[in-house]
Amino acid sequence: MNKSDLKPQRVFEQFARINEIPRPSKHEEKMIEYLKQWGESHGLDTQVDETGNVIIRKPATKGMEGRKTVVLQSHMDMVCDKLVDVTFDFDKDPIRTRIEGEWLTAEGTTLGADDGIGCAIELALLDSDDVEHGPIECVFTRDEETGLTGAEGMKAGFMTGDYLINLDSEDEGEIFVSCAGGRNTQAKFHITREAAPAGSFFLRAQLKGLVGGHSGDDINKKRANAIKLLARFLFAEMKKYEGIRLAQFHSGKLHNAIPRDGQFIIAVPDALKENIKADWNVFAADVEEEFHVTDTQMQWLMESTGAEPVIKADEACRFIWALQAVDNGIYAICQDEALGGMVETSSNIASVHTEDTEINILSSQRSNVMSNLDNMCATIQAVFELAGAEAVSSDGYPAWKMRADSELQKIVKDTYVKLFGKEPIVRGIHAGLECGLFSERYPDLDMVSFGPTLRFVHTPDERLHIPTVQMVWDHLLEILKNIPEKN
C-alpha cells in the first residue's frame, strides 16, 4: 500500500498536513493559528477562546437546517516521545510516517494519531461539499495530554450543540459512554550527597525495550513498569548486601505513560561487584519469564562507570523502600455490570528523576468513582510521606458517568448495526476524556466517544489501523444523516 492509496483520501490528506505542524502539549500555538486561518479561509464562523480552544461552525446542508446541532471534538496536541537513539525536535520537525501492512506508524517517534486523526476527520468533514448534515460545530481543544487544561478552561456557551461526538477513542467498533477521572500525585525526597566509601566500584544498570503504553487504557494489560522493576532489584540487593550506595535513578517522561526504560547508578564494595552482576542476570531472566507475553523485547545492561557522589544511605533506603511499597496497577474493578468488568481504580508510577539535592517522583491515579480516586491518591501520598517525602495531589479532572437515557447512544448504535451488520461494544474507558469536564459545564449535553483503532499510543510504537479510518468516517456520515429534528 502506498500513501496515495490511503482511504478516505480526504482524511489522510488532512492528517498529513497536521503532522507537518509542531503541536506538543502546551505549545500548540502553530496549530491554533493553522486552524484559525483554515476556518476563516473557508468562509466559516471560526472562534478561538481565551484558553486557545478553536471552534469552527458549518451550517446545515439544504433540507437539514432543522436538525439538532452536533459537536465533533478532538484535541490538537500530541504526546511527544521518541526512541533514545533518534534525533528529532518536536518543536520544529514534521512527523515522518510510513506504512507497515495495514498500519500507519512513524519513524522512531510517536505518530500523533492521538488525536491528530480526530482533527483530520473534522477538517475533512468541514471541507466536504457532498455530505448531508445538520448544523455542526467542530471543536479542537488544546493541552489534553498534560492535564486537559483546554477543556478545563472552556467556558459554558462556547459550544452550543445538543449532541457531542468525541473522536479520541482507540478501538473501532467500541462506543465509549463513560470515562475515568484522574489526578496526579507528586512526591519529593530531599537528599544529601557525600563521597562514596573507599574501595567502591560504580555500576550503571539500564533497562529498555519495554512496551509501555497508556497509563489508563493499558493498565490492565500486565505490561512491565521500568521504575518498579529497577526499584525491585535495588530493594532486593540492598536487603541482601550491606554497602550498596545509590547515586542516580532516572526513568519515565510522561505522567500518562507506563515508563518503558530507565537506569540507575550504584556504588558497591569492590568485593561484591561480580555478585551484583550475577544477580542482575538472574533477575533479568526471572522478569523476562514473568512478562513473557507482554514484554518480549526487554534489554538489560550493566557496566562499570565513573565515580560520583552518592546519596546518604538512610535517605536512599527510604526512597527505594517507598518505590517497592507504592501501589502500581489495578486497585479495583468496576462493580457495575453494564461496564463489563472494566478497571475502576488504578495508579501508575510514571517518572522518577534524581537531582543534586532532591528526587522527584510523578504518578497518576484514575478512577470512575471519585471517592475512590481520592482514596487512591491518599494511599500513594501516605506511602511517600511515611518514607519522609513531601507529597501532594493535583485537583485533576472528573469522571464522565454513563447516561442511561441517551438518544445519541441509540443513534450511534443503530447506524453501526445498519452499516456493518454487527453490534458495537458499548462500554466505559479507564482513561480521561474531555467529556468528563464537558459534563460539568454542559450537563444536558448528550455525548459518546469513538474513533479508529490505535495501538501503543504515547510511545514511539504508536500505530493507526488504516482500514478502521474508513469505517469511522462512514459511520460518522451515517450518524449525521440520522440526527433528529429539534423538538
Side-chain angles (χ1 to χ4, degrees), residues 168-207:
D168 188 26
S169 296
E170 299 159 9
D171 291 279
E172 192 285 321
E174 297 188 3
I175 311 302
F176 294 93
V177 296
S178 74
C179 74
R183 298 171 68 186
N184 291 336
T185 299
Q186 294 179 291
K188 179 185 292 186
F189 286 87
H190 295 282
I191 56 173
T192 308
R193 292 189 177 271
E194 60 189 18
S200 292
F201 187 86
F202 279 78
L203 291 168
R204 180 196 306 272
Q206 292 181 286
L207 171 59

Tab-separated table of all heavy atoms in Angstrom, residues 168-207:
chain	number	residue	atom	x	y	z
A	168	ASP	N	-11.747	10.697	20.120
A	168	ASP	CA	-10.466	10.459	20.773
A	168	ASP	C	-10.388	9.065	21.390
A	168	ASP	O	-9.671	8.849	22.351
A	168	ASP	CB	-10.228	11.535	21.855
A	168	ASP	CG	-8.836	11.475	22.448
A	168	ASP	OD1	-7.920	10.988	21.765
A	168	ASP	OD2	-8.663	11.910	23.597
A	169	SER	N	-11.140	8.109	20.858
A	169	SER	CA	-11.056	6.735	21.346
A	169	SER	C	-10.232	5.897	20.387
A	169	SER	O	-9.983	6.297	19.249
A	169	SER	CB	-12.457	6.150	21.535
A	169	SER	OG	-13.143	6.864	22.541
A	170	GLU	N	-9.856	4.702	20.812
A	170	GLU	CA	-8.780	3.993	20.117
A	170	GLU	C	-9.118	2.567	19.697
A	170	GLU	O	-8.215	1.791	19.371
A	170	GLU	CB	-7.536	3.977	21.023
A	170	GLU	CG	-7.039	5.377	21.331
A	170	GLU	CD	-6.165	5.445	22.569
A	170	GLU	OE1	-5.811	4.371	23.103
A	170	GLU	OE2	-5.833	6.561	22.998
A	171	ASP	N	-10.412	2.217	19.709
A	171	ASP	CA	-10.811	0.873	19.307
A	171	ASP	C	-12.059	0.960	18.444
A	171	ASP	O	-13.159	1.150	18.962
A	171	ASP	CB	-11.076	-0.006	20.532
A	171	ASP	CG	-9.812	-0.323	21.299
A	171	ASP	OD1	-9.083	-1.233	20.884
A	171	ASP	OD2	-9.550	0.366	22.298
A	172	GLU	N	-11.917	0.832	17.144
A	172	GLU	CA	-13.073	0.866	16.253
A	172	GLU	C	-14.031	-0.260	16.638
A	172	GLU	O	-13.619	-1.362	16.983
A	172	GLU	CB	-12.626	0.671	14.796
A	172	GLU	CG	-13.703	0.971	13.767
A	172	GLU	CD	-14.774	-0.117	13.672
A	172	GLU	OE1	-14.411	-1.322	13.753
A	172	GLU	OE2	-15.959	0.238	13.543
A	173	GLY	N	-15.310	0.065	16.591
A	173	GLY	CA	-16.327	-0.914	16.971
A	173	GLY	C	-16.695	-0.848	18.437
A	173	GLY	O	-17.555	-1.599	18.897
A	174	GLU	N	-16.044	0.050	19.172
A	174	GLU	CA	-16.366	0.252	20.575
A	174	GLU	C	-16.857	1.692	20.763
A	174	GLU	O	-16.198	2.636	20.316
A	174	GLU	CB	-15.164	-0.029	21.468
A	174	GLU	CG	-14.710	-1.488	21.376
A	174	GLU	CD	-13.650	-1.841	22.395
A	174	GLU	OE1	-13.292	-0.968	23.215
A	174	GLU	OE2	-13.189	-3.002	22.381
A	175	ILE	N	-18.003	1.833	21.389
A	175	ILE	CA	-18.610	3.131	21.640
A	175	ILE	C	-18.469	3.409	23.136
A	175	ILE	O	-18.975	2.653	23.968
A	175	ILE	CB	-20.100	3.151	21.242
A	175	ILE	CG1	-20.302	2.571	19.824
A	175	ILE	CG2	-20.650	4.558	21.357
A	175	ILE	CD1	-19.540	3.266	18.743
A	176	PHE	N	-17.775	4.472	23.464
A	176	PHE	CA	-17.496	4.769	24.863
A	176	PHE	C	-18.518	5.761	25.399
A	176	PHE	O	-18.822	6.773	24.754
A	176	PHE	CB	-16.078	5.307	25.008
A	176	PHE	CG	-15.043	4.268	24.657
A	176	PHE	CD1	-14.534	4.185	23.375
A	176	PHE	CD2	-14.613	3.352	25.602
A	176	PHE	CE1	-13.606	3.219	23.034
A	176	PHE	CE2	-13.684	2.378	25.280
A	176	PHE	CZ	-13.178	2.308	23.991
A	177	VAL	N	-19.040	5.449	26.587
A	177	VAL	CA	-20.127	6.236	27.169
A	177	VAL	C	-19.806	6.702	28.588
A	177	VAL	O	-20.653	7.307	29.248
A	177	VAL	CB	-21.438	5.427	27.165
A	177	VAL	CG1	-21.874	5.129	25.733
A	177	VAL	CG2	-21.302	4.127	27.965
A	178	SER	N	-18.596	6.419	29.058
A	178	SER	CA	-18.142	6.940	30.348
A	178	SER	C	-16.628	6.881	30.384
A	178	SER	O	-16.006	6.149	29.601
A	178	SER	CB	-18.736	6.147	31.523
A	178	SER	OG	-18.107	4.888	31.645
A	179	CYS	N	-16.016	7.640	31.286
A	179	CYS	CA	-14.561	7.624	31.404
A	179	CYS	C	-14.166	7.860	32.851
A	179	CYS	O	-14.974	8.273	33.683
A	179	CYS	CB	-13.918	8.679	30.496
A	179	CYS	SG	-14.091	10.379	31.085
A	180	ALA	N	-12.912	7.588	33.130
A	180	ALA	CA	-12.378	7.774	34.478
A	180	ALA	C	-12.012	9.230	34.721
A	180	ALA	O	-11.652	9.957	33.808
A	180	ALA	CB	-11.146	6.890	34.671
A	181	GLY	N	-12.083	9.611	35.987
A	181	GLY	CA	-11.470	10.858	36.421
A	181	GLY	C	-10.027	10.583	36.802
A	181	GLY	O	-9.616	9.424	36.976
A	182	GLY	N	-9.233	11.622	36.928
A	182	GLY	CA	-7.821	11.398	37.227
A	182	GLY	C	-7.176	12.534	37.995
A	182	GLY	O	-7.629	13.681	37.941
A	183	ARG	N	-6.124	12.194	38.724
A	183	ARG	CA	-5.302	13.177	39.434
A	183	ARG	C	-3.851	12.704	39.371
A	183	ARG	O	-3.584	11.511	39.219
A	183	ARG	CB	-5.744	13.302	40.899
A	183	ARG	CG	-7.177	13.780	41.081
A	183	ARG	CD	-7.643	13.675	42.529
A	183	ARG	NE	-6.935	14.613	43.396
A	183	ARG	CZ	-7.082	14.638	44.713
A	183	ARG	NH1	-7.891	13.777	45.316
A	183	ARG	NH2	-6.432	15.517	45.457
A	184	ASN	N	-2.934	13.639	39.484
A	184	ASN	CA	-1.513	13.313	39.592
A	184	ASN	C	-1.052	13.520	41.021
A	184	ASN	O	-1.498	14.456	41.694
A	184	ASN	CB	-0.673	14.200	38.667
A	184	ASN	CG	-0.893	13.890	37.201
A	184	ASN	OD1	-1.298	12.792	36.850
A	184	ASN	ND2	-0.633	14.861	36.351
A	185	THR	N	-0.150	12.659	41.469
A	185	THR	CA	0.469	12.830	42.777
A	185	THR	C	1.973	12.964	42.594
A	185	THR	O	2.597	12.130	41.936
A	185	THR	CB	0.153	11.643	43.708
A	185	THR	OG1	-1.259	11.568	43.902
A	185	THR	CG2	0.844	11.805	45.051
A	186	GLN	N	2.521	14.028	43.142
A	186	GLN	CA	3.956	14.280	43.074
A	186	GLN	C	4.570	14.110	44.455
A	186	GLN	O	3.993	14.532	45.457
A	186	GLN	CB	4.237	15.693	42.562
A	186	GLN	CG	3.803	15.912	41.120
A	186	GLN	CD	4.065	17.325	40.652
A	186	GLN	OE1	3.426	18.259	41.114
A	186	GLN	NE2	5.012	17.482	39.757
A	187	ALA	N	5.738	13.476	44.476
A	187	ALA	CA	6.473	13.299	45.725
A	187	ALA	C	7.888	13.830	45.538
A	187	ALA	O	8.464	13.722	44.456
A	187	ALA	CB	6.508	11.830	46.128
A	188	LYS	N	8.421	14.409	46.615
A	188	LYS	CA	9.777	14.950	46.566
A	188	LYS	C	10.550	14.507	47.802
A	188	LYS	O	10.108	14.738	48.936
A	188	LYS	CB	9.752	16.472	46.493
A	188	LYS	CG	11.144	17.119	46.474
A	188	LYS	CD	11.052	18.638	46.527
A	188	LYS	CE	10.454	19.172	45.223
A	188	LYS	NZ	10.489	20.662	45.194
A	189	PHE	N	11.675	13.842	47.558
A	189	PHE	CA	12.597	13.497	48.629
A	189	PHE	C	13.745	14.501	48.632
A	189	PHE	O	14.367	14.723	47.584
A	189	PHE	CB	13.182	12.095	48.419
A	189	PHE	CG	12.244	10.959	48.709
A	189	PHE	CD1	11.384	10.476	47.728
A	189	PHE	CD2	12.230	10.358	49.957
A	189	PHE	CE1	10.527	9.417	47.990
A	189	PHE	CE2	11.376	9.301	50.236
A	189	PHE	CZ	10.521	8.825	49.252
A	190	HIS	N	14.031	15.100	49.752
A	190	HIS	CA	15.218	15.938	49.892
A	190	HIS	C	16.388	15.035	50.268
A	190	HIS	O	16.277	14.215	51.195
A	190	HIS	CB	14.995	17.012	50.957
A	190	HIS	CG	13.932	17.990	50.579
A	190	HIS	ND1	14.134	19.013	49.682
A	190	HIS	CD2	12.627	18.071	50.962
A	190	HIS	CE1	13.027	19.705	49.527
A	190	HIS	NE2	12.082	19.150	50.295
A	191	ILE	N	17.501	15.163	49.547
A	191	ILE	CA	18.612	14.238	49.739
A	191	ILE	C	19.916	14.996	49.989
A	191	ILE	O	20.053	16.175	49.644
A	191	ILE	CB	18.788	13.301	48.530
A	191	ILE	CG1	18.981	14.116	47.239
A	191	ILE	CG2	17.609	12.351	48.411
A	191	ILE	CD1	19.322	13.278	46.013
A	192	THR	N	20.839	14.290	50.592
A	192	THR	CA	22.179	14.802	50.838
A	192	THR	C	23.171	13.897	50.140
A	192	THR	O	23.049	12.666	50.199
A	192	THR	CB	22.484	14.813	52.348
A	192	THR	OG1	21.436	15.498	53.042
A	192	THR	CG2	23.826	15.490	52.628
A	193	ARG	N	24.150	14.490	49.475
A	193	ARG	CA	25.155	13.686	48.774
A	193	ARG	C	26.487	13.730	49.532
A	193	ARG	O	26.809	14.706	50.198
A	193	ARG	CB	25.326	14.165	47.332
A	193	ARG	CG	24.092	13.899	46.472
A	193	ARG	CD	24.334	14.177	45.004
A	193	ARG	NE	23.159	13.838	44.209
A	193	ARG	CZ	22.917	12.647	43.687
A	193	ARG	NH1	23.789	11.656	43.896
A	193	ARG	NH2	21.835	12.427	42.976
A	194	GLU	N	27.243	12.649	49.368
A	194	GLU	CA	28.550	12.536	50.006
A	194	GLU	C	29.440	11.651	49.146
A	194	GLU	O	28.968	11.002	48.200
A	194	GLU	CB	28.402	11.946	51.415
A	194	GLU	CG	27.777	10.569	51.430
A	194	GLU	CD	27.428	10.097	52.843
A	194	GLU	OE1	27.359	10.940	53.745
A	194	GLU	OE2	27.211	8.874	53.003
A	195	ALA	N	30.710	11.628	49.459
A	195	ALA	CA	31.644	10.782	48.716
A	195	ALA	C	31.352	9.309	48.997
A	195	ALA	O	30.960	8.935	50.113
A	195	ALA	CB	33.078	11.120	49.102
A	196	ALA	N	31.529	8.476	47.979
A	196	ALA	CA	31.343	7.040	48.158
A	196	ALA	C	32.430	6.485	49.077
A	196	ALA	O	33.543	7.020	49.148
A	196	ALA	CB	31.395	6.341	46.803
A	197	PRO	N	32.133	5.416	49.803
A	197	PRO	CA	33.148	4.809	50.670
A	197	PRO	C	34.384	4.381	49.870
A	197	PRO	O	34.294	4.066	48.675
A	197	PRO	CB	32.427	3.600	51.266
A	197	PRO	CG	30.977	3.940	51.168
A	197	PRO	CD	30.825	4.739	49.914
A	198	ALA	N	35.507	4.383	50.513
A	198	ALA	CA	36.736	3.933	49.864
A	198	ALA	C	36.569	2.490	49.381
A	198	ALA	O	35.919	1.670	50.036
A	198	ALA	CB	37.902	4.029	50.848
A	199	GLY	N	37.160	2.201	48.231
A	199	GLY	CA	37.077	0.853	47.672
A	199	GLY	C	35.785	0.559	46.939
A	199	GLY	O	35.489	-0.606	46.642
A	200	SER	N	35.013	1.602	46.626
A	200	SER	CA	33.746	1.388	45.917
A	200	SER	C	33.975	1.198	44.421
A	200	SER	O	34.891	1.787	43.830
A	200	SER	CB	32.802	2.574	46.130
A	200	SER	OG	32.367	2.642	47.462
A	201	PHE	N	33.123	0.401	43.831
A	201	PHE	CA	33.110	0.165	42.386
A	201	PHE	C	31.760	0.627	41.864
A	201	PHE	O	30.719	0.240	42.412
A	201	PHE	CB	33.324	-1.322	42.095
A	201	PHE	CG	33.505	-1.650	40.639
A	201	PHE	CD1	34.751	-1.586	40.037
A	201	PHE	CD2	32.411	-2.025	39.859
A	201	PHE	CE1	34.916	-1.898	38.691
A	201	PHE	CE2	32.569	-2.325	38.515
A	201	PHE	CZ	33.831	-2.258	37.932
A	202	PHE	N	31.743	1.452	40.811
A	202	PHE	CA	30.493	2.030	40.314
A	202	PHE	C	29.942	1.231	39.139
A	202	PHE	O	30.680	0.881	38.202
A	202	PHE	CB	30.710	3.488	39.903
A	202	PHE	CG	30.680	4.437	41.061
A	202	PHE	CD1	31.781	4.565	41.906
A	202	PHE	CD2	29.544	5.188	41.335
A	202	PHE	CE1	31.749	5.431	42.985
A	202	PHE	CE2	29.505	6.065	42.408
A	202	PHE	CZ	30.611	6.190	43.236
A	203	LEU	N	28.646	0.964	39.201
A	203	LEU	CA	27.940	0.217	38.159
A	203	LEU	C	26.762	1.042	37.646
A	203	LEU	O	26.032	1.649	38.434
A	203	LEU	CB	27.405	-1.102	38.709
A	203	LEU	CG	28.422	-2.182	39.083
A	203	LEU	CD1	27.739	-3.298	39.869
A	203	LEU	CD2	29.090	-2.752	37.822
A	204	ARG	N	26.587	1.041	36.336
A	204	ARG	CA	25.405	1.638	35.705
A	204	ARG	C	24.544	0.500	35.164
A	204	ARG	O	25.026	-0.332	34.388
A	204	ARG	CB	25.796	2.566	34.562
A	204	ARG	CG	24.572	3.212	33.868
A	204	ARG	CD	24.943	3.812	32.496
A	204	ARG	NE	26.065	4.730	32.625
A	204	ARG	CZ	25.948	6.025	32.908
A	204	ARG	NH1	24.744	6.544	33.101
A	204	ARG	NH2	27.014	6.796	32.997
A	205	ALA	N	23.280	0.472	35.554
A	205	ALA	CA	22.339	-0.537	35.056
A	205	ALA	C	21.283	0.157	34.204
A	205	ALA	O	20.742	1.192	34.600
A	205	ALA	CB	21.684	-1.272	36.213
A	206	GLN	N	20.999	-0.418	33.054
A	206	GLN	CA	19.986	0.136	32.147
A	206	GLN	C	18.982	-0.942	31.757
A	206	GLN	O	19.357	-2.091	31.515
A	206	GLN	CB	20.643	0.686	30.879
A	206	GLN	CG	21.500	1.915	31.099
A	206	GLN	CD	22.098	2.406	29.791
A	206	GLN	OE1	23.029	1.796	29.243
A	206	GLN	NE2	21.567	3.499	29.274
A	207	LEU	N	17.725	-0.542	31.701
A	207	LEU	CA	16.643	-1.399	31.238
A	207	LEU	C	15.882	-0.633	30.168
A	207	LEU	O	15.481	0.507	30.391
A	207	LEU	CB	15.704	-1.754	32.398
A	207	LEU	CG	14.399	-2.475	32.052
A	207	LEU	CD1	14.669	-3.792	31.355
A	207	LEU	CD2	13.566	-2.688	33.318
